[in-house]
Amino acid sequence: GGGFGRLAVEMDKELLTTRMWRATKEVHSKSDSITSMKAAIALTDRKLWGQAIGWFYLVISQIEASLQRSKAKHAAIPAVLESYDLLSRTAAFESDLVVYLGSEWRSKLTVPPAVEEYQQHIKSLEQSDPLMLVCYYFHFMGALTGGGPIIKRMVTNSLRLKKGGAGVRLFEFEDDKGKVFFQDLKRVVNGLRLSEEEEERLIREGMSVFERNDTIVQCVTKRIGWTDMLSSVRSPPVQVLLCVFAVAVAVITQAFWF
């Protein structure tokens, strides 16, 4: 009957999260090696690192707040937020920002236009197409749970933080189960009852996530001059850091999605 036919089609269909990853792979492949190098060097400066995570905090906290306010706007959103208490990063970012910029960190954040535009885009989606917030939440959580452990070690070592101490809370999840929590989120996303048109829009918007994130990385790299970069690269610790950074980028952008 029609039910069996529909089930067969669904079983044969590629998972939504796999299609989302495949669409963003091309965006990843355009990564600029010099940009990656500069971003790694930013990890040698506590205040610059504080600004960088502050900019991502403004975006992620906006995504989380917008999703919470949109629960009644689309049936998929409550399902996606089932694991919210385990994955939410807003409080963790705020804890880390105190470490790098002090208790008055909000007044010390210098917000570039690209970050303000990113925030505004999220607010606009909340009003016009809240389902699209799901792909921002999904991709950010994939990066933080997948590459988090490696970046946590990088940050701890390069900024000389006390192991097991403050400053890397945004990469820490309850009982070190970040990847488990994300796999649960992945299953939820793959189980959403969406139309083909909605899935295609999620996939297209997912590419925008990485393009917009790259604009924030560019804001970081603009603060690092060529002189600073070249002098830093001569330092053996930074040379090692650059190699580790390359591995971290691979983990975040590709390996975990499989």
Side-chain angles (χ1 to χ4, degrees):
F4 284 111
R6 187 164 55 251
L7 179 61
V9 169
E10 288 181 357
M11 290 178 67
D12 189 52
K13 186 177 175 182
E14 193 172 41
L15 293 174
L16 174 57
T17 56
T18 302
R19 292 161 65 202
M20 291 169 74
W21 172 80
R22 196 183 305 284
T24 60
K25 189 175 182 181
E26 184 178 342
V27 180
H28 298 322
S29 68
K30 295 178 181 177
S31 296
D32 181 350
S33 59
I34 297 298
T35 296
S36 298
M37 185 181 292
K38 286 186 174 184
I41 292 168
L43 283 172
T44 63
D45 185 298
R46 286 194 179 202
K47 284 188 169 50
L48 183 55
W49 177 249
Q51 289 289 329
I53 65 170
W55 297 337
F56 277 104
Y57 159 79
L58 292 173
V59 173
I60 292 177
S61 61
Q62 183 63 60
I63 293 167
E64 293 188 346
S66 290
L67 270 171
Q68 289 283 6
R69 289 193 293 264
S70 300
K71 285 181 179 178
K73 296 179 180 178
H74 194 289
I77 294 176
V80 168
L81 290 178
E82 282 180 4
S83 58
Y84 178 81
D85 290 342
L86 298 172
L87 288 171
S88 175
R89 295 292 87 193
T90 296
F93 266 95
E94 291 173 350
S95 171
D96 287 352
L97 285 165
V98 171
V99 173
Y100 299 113
L101 301 179
S103 58
E104 302 297 316
W105 60 267
R106 289 183 188 275
S107 63
K108 293 178 182 176
L109 272 181
T110 56
V111 187
V115 177
E116 291 181 343
E117 194 278 330
Y118 200 157
Q119 285 181 289
Q120 191 54 49
H121 180 66
I122 298 302
K123 292 176 183 177
S124 175
L125 289 177
E126 179 185 345
Q127 298 303 317
S128 64
D129 198 0
L131 175 63
M132 295 303 102
L133 297 171
V134 169
C135 68
Y136 286 85
Y137 184 66
F138 178 79
H139 283 305
F140 266 113
M141 293 309 157
L144 290 170
T145 58
I150 289 178
I151 299 179
K152 177 183 174 181
R153 288 194 293 274
M154 287 171 56
V155 174
T156 299
N157 293 333
S158 63
L159 297 181
R160 295 179 175 83
L161 302 176
K162 182 179 178 182
K163 283 185 170 56
V168 287
R169 298 284 185 243
L170 73 94
F171 302 116
E172 297 177 346
F173 294 85
E174 184 180 316
D175 298 328
D176 293 324
K177 290 183 178 178
K179 288 187 179 182
V180 174
F181 300 152
F182 181 68
Q183 289 298 331
D184 288 340
L185 176 62
K186 203 171 175 181
R187 279 191 288 273
V188 168
V189 172
N190 284 323
L192 295 176
R193 307 298 290 183
L194 302 174
S195 68
E196 188 64 34
E197 186 269 340
E198 287 176 321
E199 290 187 357
E200 289 301 326
R201 283 193 291 117
L202 272 176
I203 291 167
R204 285 197 304 272
E205 190 68 32
M207 296 173 69
S208 178
V209 176
F210 292 95
E211 289 166 352
R212 290 177 183 278
N213 288 352
D214 189 55
T215 65
I216 298 184
V217 175
Q218 295 291 343
C219 291
V220 177
T221 63
K222 284 175 183 175
R223 301 216 172 183
I224 305 172
W226 279 99
T227 303
D228 295 330
M229 188 175 72
L230 291 172
S231 63
S232 296
V233 171
R234 295 191 189 102
S235 164
V238 173
Q239 290 169 353
V240 172
L241 179 62
L242 292 176
C243 295
V244 176
F245 184 79
V247 174
V249 169
V251 171
I252 293 174
T253 60
Q254 294 185 20
F256 187 66
W257 295 98
F258 288 110

